[in-house]
């Protein structure tokens, strides 16, 4: 039985990777287009590769240091010897997911542009296929890493289930660390380039987006790849793996060490891969650039996958756990539904087909100050629905799983809700990751001077990408909150394991260390958001200065008679973002250790709860403010309130520029942060329990 | 013994009120200045009175409804019959504090302007005296209300201590409700007028601040009075009373019903009044408009008062409680020190003599988008220090008071820390409330066309007012957090009293209802901030439209040949702000009841903790972002980066405009909100414990 379960998981991961490989081959068969297009694409690819190479070098140094620290701790008996190695593999696979996704994205951009020359559907197929490669690589590698470690620990080292999940949680820490670096570094890169390009190019020089005269234009397109592709890949690898292993860990506790509860989340994931693959075959469209038609083309695929999972999970739960545990199925279903609803709420607040964003566009009429106030207010207000959805999901998942009788069972239910939410990640990520490919394709079409209808088609695809990105963010944020809660529960179990006599009921908010932990934890996402925003600000300012310099010093640039020095901007962004990514990430890793050593493990639980709650709010606030500003600008560009070039449009550009780091740097990074804090706490639990100042 | 203690409290309140009366007479003896100045002052006074009259009418309707609801609950045995009456008196005195403060402020504005014609010191004396009237009215009325109720309940109705504090907590709810209306309504008024006047007058028409040609100029000056004076008065009345009664309530529990622990906070307050009065005699300055000299003039007074309290409290605690409770003195001291430190941190992040704000001014060079990003980042980052200060204060106050042995004792210590922080409110509020008077004086000087050196002097006073306001905000936010915690503890005691078998240790963050409560509670300040910001935005937009209309339709307005229709703008602001103040306040009152009825009392505790933590963060973030934007603009106006009229200045004006609702509407109102939530929960505790869906 055990071996069958493991085999199923292995099979799932192999199928995903094979599917990704076949899809990649399919993408590469498409034509690259004109020599100029190839040249532009090559420049983008080069810049992106150069960035990733340097990023991975820095990250490798960090991982080497952590490896040594973990080895020392293992030598002193505070950790098992599996931990340092698990940590490294988690980081490796997370980075690899991002790398592969980016490789294919940077090859698909010109192919998408070229395909759009013949038809919209063709363009969609290429871009979506590139996104699929990314989606299935992430889930495939995630499940592979889990299967390998599980096999190793179970059948080679013959550990008991709780020791297995304990070691596996550490590769979660590796994945989270890597993801944070990738998200923060990539996020700073992409937004520094974007803001820099927009502020000087669009606002000061008055040239269109992606105009080849803009010296930051290549950097801007590189940014889409290193931030929105490589960064997002590493990020979602972490989310996916984190949700599965935290559920497995809680399953062990809930079922008194029985393997089946531990295996359920893994098999759910494998099942999700099959459902996602089936879904991809239903994504196709006609020639209408109407957003609703396009959206329904993508939705057909994701909805079908979700439906398959919703039905199959019922039988899976009863088959694996037994019919007396049917309640747990409803926990998974609650997660699946909650993910969809949060996505819908995000769409409502950020799409220009609904009132909030249209109202935001109105505030642009009285200038940039009022659109700022409006957007910030909109983002803050938009936290209500997701909070209520998650609250209901937590209560449902907890009680249907039997939480009233056993807290462990209830927490297992919450963890499974997160797994349910992410089960169809293969296809949801595909619909999400295709966006930046289309965006890049548009850039190439513009720079290569292709026919206007090509740009129209890529714009239609890109615009759709904004909507799917909003939905994707809903899943990412929702699953982050649930997974973080599951990880807090895992932390408490870990604390028990290393010798503290404590139960889930011993963390009252009126205990001063828990309370103080809550305050400190809630502060962390604010600090983290501040650091990353300021990084973007600083990096963007340096780009602005450089772009202004080139416009001034390169004779004939504005007339198209001389070439801009793209490489300098690319290099500048690379250096600035790598330099800026270090502090926020280190803060995320060091804080839980410091807090733990001072306040003890109860303080840590308070901190984790505080960070989860405030991080969830801040992530939604920032994502939705940013999304709404972006779309309010697009709405005005569509001709409302005077259209492009009007005063309202200028005000909206300011809003969009502020929204950029909100939605693409700080917001998404907070999701990773709240899980990383728990992972680090788990790994350092023994240290804290034994040596903290306050016990 | 008991009667002596009550007598001391009475005495303190009477002395404060007498001092306020004498100071008011002194202010009124000063000359009002030229007929034009008198006319302008009268217009402002009229507008402010008209606003307050209409505001109080609306609030009276609300109080009448609540009174009926509370009477029904009393009739069904869910409350005692004291509650409805206590509720009304709390609201009445809170409103009265604001009203008296505003009366004197609107009479002192022209007198301050006139005094500034002869000397800076004379101007400071008038403005500061007006502030003192407000400060001592607030503390005097606060202590009077407490003394009267205490006497009534203790000596007339002969209730036992726990029943006394229980009834007294209800007038806290009355005070908080009134304060929230006043803060939100006044805050929307002042910022709608300010933003409206600035956006059209300064930015579009290019005329200076307070120019009589601007149709919104009177409304702007009215706003200073109804928002920054009447609103702040009601607000701090609530803070003051809230901290005292919550400490008294916890004292009863900690000392098993002994009266002395209950009386200590009241006598501390009386002592603080004496110390504050002594301090006021040391506030005087020379003729230098240098900010440091002026600041040290004010600081001399506040520091002396704080020092007196720091010494006297030592003997007070030992005298009232006994020498074995000396530890509690250190809790009070911790509060006092924490208040000063949070103020210093606020000053560091918002004053243009320090790096953060100077750096923010630099970001204006690349436009309004970068100064927005910079200011938001600065505000978020500035949460660290206050969080650490409050965390340390909580731990110190808890443990020195004997929290390790008895949770009740520790919580009493935390409540006393808040009392310590607010003990010198009489004088700190005076230094705070004088700001809007000086601001108004400047407006009158400008409109009446007085000599430039008068405006220079009022500007120096006004600018200093910004710094003292920042310090005042530190005290308000810090005390709000500590008082809110004390109120949560009071809530739990109340829940025990009405029959739930529960201890302080039964609210683990891993209990799903507590956890869900945390999420919902943490969301409330975000929603509240959003609602108030959007209200300001909407109201400001209507002012913008009206001002634009007048500039267009009134012939000769720009040449000074025709008068603007000031009354219309005043009326518009009044209507808009009264209309907009209702929803946010009702949300604050209804939510805890709804959450309680669904999630039960454990959910309520989670909600209160979540709201306190996230509200504290959001209040600091918004206050400091707003303060820094304001001062970055002033810094640029002082000549840096091109000074007034430069592109950097325009960008900074956008920042300041966004910062206005941040720092003067949403931020301060959150302080009240987090306490109101607890107060409402306490009053409705019996209902929730008996009838909630989840028990």
């Amino acid at each position: 039985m055990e071996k069958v379960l493991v085999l199923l998981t292995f099979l799932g991961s192999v199928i995903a990777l094979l599917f990704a490989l076949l899809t990649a081959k399919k993408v590469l068969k498409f034509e690259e287009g004109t020599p100029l297009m190839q040249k532009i694409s090559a420049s983008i690819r080069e810049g992106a590769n150069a960035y990733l190479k340097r990023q991975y070098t820095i990250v490798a140094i960090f991982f080497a240091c952590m490896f040594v620290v973990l080895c020392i701790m293992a030598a002193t008996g505070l950790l098992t010897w599996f931990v340092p190695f698990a940590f490294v593999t988690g980081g490796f696979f997370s980075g690899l997911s991002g790398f592969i996704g980016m490789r294919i994205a940077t090859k698909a951009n010109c192919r998408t542009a070229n395909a759009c020359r013949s038809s919209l559907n063709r363009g969609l197929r290429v871009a979506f296929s590139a996104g699929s490669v990314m989606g299935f690589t992430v889930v495939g590698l995630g499940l592979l890493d889990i299967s390998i470690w599980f096999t190793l620990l179970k059948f080679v080292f013959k550990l008991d289930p709780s020791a297995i999940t304990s070691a596996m949680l550490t590769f979660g820490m590796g994945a989270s660390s890597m993801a944070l670096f990738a998200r923060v570094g990539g996020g700073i890169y992409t937004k520094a380039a974007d803001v820099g390009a927009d502020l000087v190019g669009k606002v000061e020089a008055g040239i269109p987006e992606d105009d080849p005269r803009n010296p930051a234009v290549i950097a801007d397109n590189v940014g889409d790849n290193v931030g929105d592709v490589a960064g997002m890949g590493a990020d979602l690898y972490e989310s996916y793996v984190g949700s599965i292993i935290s559920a497995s860990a809680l399953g062990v506790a809930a079922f008194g060490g029985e393997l089946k509860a531990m295996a359920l989340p893994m098999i759910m994931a494998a099942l999700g891969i099959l459902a996602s693959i089936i879904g991809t075959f239903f994504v196709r469209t006609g020639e209408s650039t109407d957003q609703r038609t396009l959206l329904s083309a993508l939705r057909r695929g994701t909805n079908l996958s979700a439906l398959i999972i919703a039905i199959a999970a019922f039988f899976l739960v009863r088959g694996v756990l037994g019919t007396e545990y049917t309640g747990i199925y409803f926990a998974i279903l609650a997660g699946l539904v909650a993910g969809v609803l949060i996505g819908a709420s995000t769409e409502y607040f950020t799409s220009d087909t609904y009132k909030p964003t249209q109202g935001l566009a109105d505030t642009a009429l009285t200038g940039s100050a009022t659109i700022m106030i409006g957007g910030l207010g909109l983002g803050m207000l938009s936290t209500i629905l997701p909070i209520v959805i998650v609250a209901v999901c937590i209560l449902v998942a907890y009680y249907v799983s039997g939480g009233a009788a056993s807290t462990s069972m209830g927490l297992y239910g919450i963890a499974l809700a997160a797994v349910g939410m992410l089960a169809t990640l293969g296809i949801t990520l595909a619909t999400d990751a295709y966006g930046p490919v289309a965006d890049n394709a548009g850039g190439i079409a513009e720079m290569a001077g292709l026919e206007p209808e090509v740009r129209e088609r890529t714009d239609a695809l890109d615009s759709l990408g904004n909507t799917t990105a909003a939905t994707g963010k809903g899943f990412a944020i929702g699953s982050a909150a649930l997974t973080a809660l599951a990880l807090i529960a895992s932390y408490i179990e870990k604390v028990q394991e290393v010798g503290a006599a404590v139960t889930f009921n011993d963390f009252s908010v009126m205990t001063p260390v828990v309370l103080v932990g809550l305050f400190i934890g809630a502060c962390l996402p604010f600090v983290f958001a501040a650091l990353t925003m300021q990084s973007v600000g600083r990096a963007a300012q340096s780009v602005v200065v450089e772009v202004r310099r080139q416009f001034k010093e390169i004779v004939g640039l504005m007339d198209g008679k001389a070439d801009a020095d793209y490489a300098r901007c690319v290099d500048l962004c690379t250096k600035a973002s790598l330099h800026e990514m270090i502090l926020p990430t280190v803060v995320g890793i060091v804080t839980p250790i410091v807090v733990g050593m001072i306040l003890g493990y109860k303080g840590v639980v308070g901190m984790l709860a505080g960070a989860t709650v405030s991080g969830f709010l801040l992530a939604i606030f920032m994502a939705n403010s940013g999304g709404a500003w972006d779309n309010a600008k697009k709405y005005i560009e569509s001709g409302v309130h005077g259209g492009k070039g009007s005063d309202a449009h200028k005000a909206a550009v300011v809003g969009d520029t502020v929204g950029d780091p909100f939605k693409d740097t700080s917001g998404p990074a907070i999701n990773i942060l709240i899980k990383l804090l728990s992972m680090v706490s788990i790994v350092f639990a023994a240290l804290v329990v034994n040596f903290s100042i306050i016990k």
Side-chain angles (χ1 to χ4, degrees), chain A residues 545-607:
Chain A
V545 171
E546 170 61 19
V547 174
R548 279 183 185 163
R549 187 196 66 79
Q550 291 200 21
F551 272 128
K552 208 171 131 192
E553 295 182 5
I554 301 180
V555 184
L557 176 57
M558 276 301 279
D559 316 327
K561 286 179 190 152
D563 276 348
D565 187 354
Y566 304 124
R568 255 191 98 116
C569 286
V570 170
D571 193 52
L572 195 66
C573 287
T574 304
K575 276 190 192 139
S577 55
L578 291 176
H579 177 250
E580 297 283 353
M581 85 178 171
I582 297 172
L583 179 66
T585 314
V586 170
V587 165
I589 292 169
V590 171
T591 313
I593 306 173
V594 173
V595 169
M597 293 310 288
I598 296 172
L599 296 180
Y601 63 86
K602 287 195 178 180
V604 171
V605 171
M607 179 198 73

Side-chain angles (χ1 to χ4, degrees), chain A residues 51 55-56 59 62-63 87 90-98 171-187 226-227 229-241 528 581 585 589 665 668-673 675-676 679:
Chain A
Y51 171 81
Q55 185 191 60
Y56 288 157
V59 174
F62 165 81
F63 268 80
F87 173 74
F92 176 76
F93 280 109
S94 172
L96 189 61
S97 299
F171 78 69
M173 177 183 159
S176 294
S177 308
M178 178 67 228
L180 201 57
F181 276 115
R183 243 315 177 195
V184 172
V226 301
V229 179
M232 184 165 66
D235 176 354
L236 284 163
Y237 176 92
E238 180 264 3
S239 299
Y240 189 69
V241 163
F528 191 78
M581 85 178 171
T585 314
I589 292 169
T665 312
I670 290 173
N671 291 334
I672 307 173
L673 175 76
K675 286 169 282 176
L676 178 62
M679 303 270 194

